[in-house]
Amino acid sequence: MRFPRLFSLSLLLAFGIIAQAQTKELHIAAAADLQPVLPTLAQAYEHATGTKIVASFGSTATLTQQLLNGDPQDVFLAADFVHPEQLVAANLTVEHSPVPYAKGVLVLWARKDSPVQPLTLDALTDPRVQKIAVANDQHAPYGVAATKVLAALHLTDKVASKLVVAENIAQTAQFAESGNAQVGLISLTIASSPHFREIGTYVRFPNVYPAIRQCGVTLKASKNQSAAQDFLRWLTSKDVQENLQKMGLDPAE
């Protein structure tokens, strides 16, 4: 996937990246839904600035706890607002409020060889579906969204016995991919990745769940604060935001 407009000289000059970037490496703690997305963004950013992104992925809640315990990272890209706000409240961030960088999208995904193809939301109550993979709503914002979706569609009680709970959204997708669950409520970032498009199909849920406001912060403990802030400004720039939908995210605004 290419971003032809990401590398414009005017954009780089506007952020002062060419003149100011001194670090060659940034460490980013990133929500699991970004696993298919961040490598593409990192490649674009490194091409534009010479700065390499080193990412660590996990559930937003788990990463937050690690950061509260002193995990040395430069940037935190969460899948919600609440958890980075905890870091702000703990006075661990440069920003006084989390920076929105995208909105997440929840979808229902199933393998192409599933008996419930062609896939519709009716698959959730289809008797041929014995297991439904969801992320843990105590750890993963997409798990919270899944819980809200099922409640809004009046399906909570009907599917409760079918739910297989994963630690994060990447593991949720693995359950559905492996066949341990016949369908999964996963992120569009994963569902629209080349591999998951090749082996499965997805349908979007209606907008019956609270917006998944994905936000980022710069850590005060970072030795590369200026470069970390440059990255967040780049991520929220118009050129990048206009390309997010190609990767399964909606723009922040």
Side-chain angles (χ1 to χ4, degrees), residues 62-233:
T62 299
L63 293 174
T64 300
Q65 191 58 52
Q66 291 172 353
L67 292 167
L68 287 169
N69 290 337
D71 186 32
Q73 301 285 342
D74 298 306
V75 176
F76 178 35
L77 297 180
D80 66 0
F81 175 89
V82 174
H83 286 90
E85 174 61 24
Q86 291 177 11
L87 299 179
V88 172
N91 198 32
L92 296 178
T93 67
V94 175
E95 296 82 10
H96 297 298
S97 181
V99 178
Y101 66 86
K103 291 179 181 175
V105 180
L106 186 72
V107 302
L108 182 69
W109 184 90
R111 291 174 57 101
K112 288 181 178 178
D113 57 8
S114 168
V116 293
Q117 293 288 2
L119 185 64
T120 70
L121 296 183
D122 292 336
L124 290 166
T125 53
D126 191 303
R128 292 171 294 181
V129 171
Q130 297 298 309
K131 299 295 182 183
I132 300 170
V134 295
N136 190 328
D137 60 10
Q138 299 300 308
H139 297 281
Y142 281 89
V144 175
T147 298
K148 297 292 187 182
V149 160
L150 295 175
L153 298 178
H154 307 291
L155 296 175
T156 302
D157 294 336
K158 294 179 181 179
V159 304
S161 63
K162 299 182 179 184
L163 298 183
V164 180
V165 181
E167 177 66 19
N168 55 54
I169 202 64
Q171 189 180 64
T172 306
Q174 290 172 4
F175 286 173
E177 177 191 12
S178 67
N180 289 329
Q182 286 75 50
V183 297
L185 281 71
I186 69 174
S187 68
L188 183 56
T189 55
I190 296 175
S192 60
S193 66
H195 175 65
F196 276 79
R197 279 185 178 273
E198 181 181 352
I199 66 172
T201 65
Y202 67 87
V203 290
R204 292 178 67 139
F205 284 101
N207 292 324
V208 294
Y209 56 95
I212 304 173
R213 297 176 58 213
Q214 305 205 191
C215 296
V217 288
T218 304
L219 281 305
K220 276 187 177 179
S222 170
K223 297 178 181 179
N224 303 305
Q225 281 187 17
S226 178
Q229 289 177 295
D230 282 343
F231 175 79
L232 274 183
R233 283 192 288 268

